[in-house]
Amino acid sequence: MKRENDMEEYKVFDPVDFLKTEEDIQFYLEAAAQDEDPKAFLRALRTAAKARGMMELAQQADMPRESLYRALSENGNPNYMTLRKIARAFGMNLTMVRQPSSKEATA
């Protein structure tokens, strides 16, 4: 029987805990890129960077660690070249994909 003072301990959810492999990171970033909210993608990049390791990712992106932190911060607004460097450090490319028109989607 639990007493009122007994508190159950819960672990705070952190998506980093679920990004164990490069494939996990890839699927996570691909899903986030589909979100209409650009901040969602930025949060996903930050999470993936933490999972990979910020220092390692900064080295692979050939950018200073501080610049990576700033670009991926809550108020970050990375430019295209920064996003491209980060994507390449993850072994990915930024790609434009044509979306089917509403006619094509229903055919």
Side-chain angles (χ1 to χ4, degrees):
M1 175 181 225
K2 283 198 151 294
R3 288 181 261 152
E4 282 185 43
N5 292 345
D6 291 345
M7 298 282 294
E8 288 188 44
E9 289 189 32
Y10 295 97
K11 185 176 180 189
V12 175
F13 175 77
D14 188 351
V16 170
D17 296 336
F18 298 92
L19 300 177
K20 302 287 187 199
T21 67
E22 294 302 310
E23 188 176 56
D24 293 341
I25 291 172
Q26 176 188 347
F27 289 139
Y28 183 67
L29 292 176
E30 286 175 356
Q34 301 302 312
D35 197 301
E36 296 291 324
D37 178 9
K39 292 291 185 181
F41 183 64
L42 202 56
R43 280 190 301 272
L45 273 176
R46 184 171 46 250
T47 300
K50 287 178 184 176
R52 166 74 70 82
M54 292 293 257
M55 180 63 108
E56 179 182 341
L57 186 66
Q59 289 172 343
Q60 292 170 339
D62 194 28
M63 59 190 301
R65 183 179 51 86
E66 296 80 13
S67 296
L68 181 63
Y69 273 107
R70 192 170 32 258
L72 299 181
S73 73
E74 192 66 36
N75 297 317
N77 188 19
N79 65 35
Y80 173 77
M81 289 307 295
T82 299
L83 289 172
R84 187 172 177 202
K85 285 180 177 184
I86 294 169
R88 289 200 172 177
F90 279 120
M92 304 173 89
N93 288 310
L94 298 177
T95 306
M96 303 293 288
V97 178
R98 184 175 179 277
Q99 291 195 352
S101 68
S102 57
K103 285 183 182 179
E104 293 171 334
T106 58

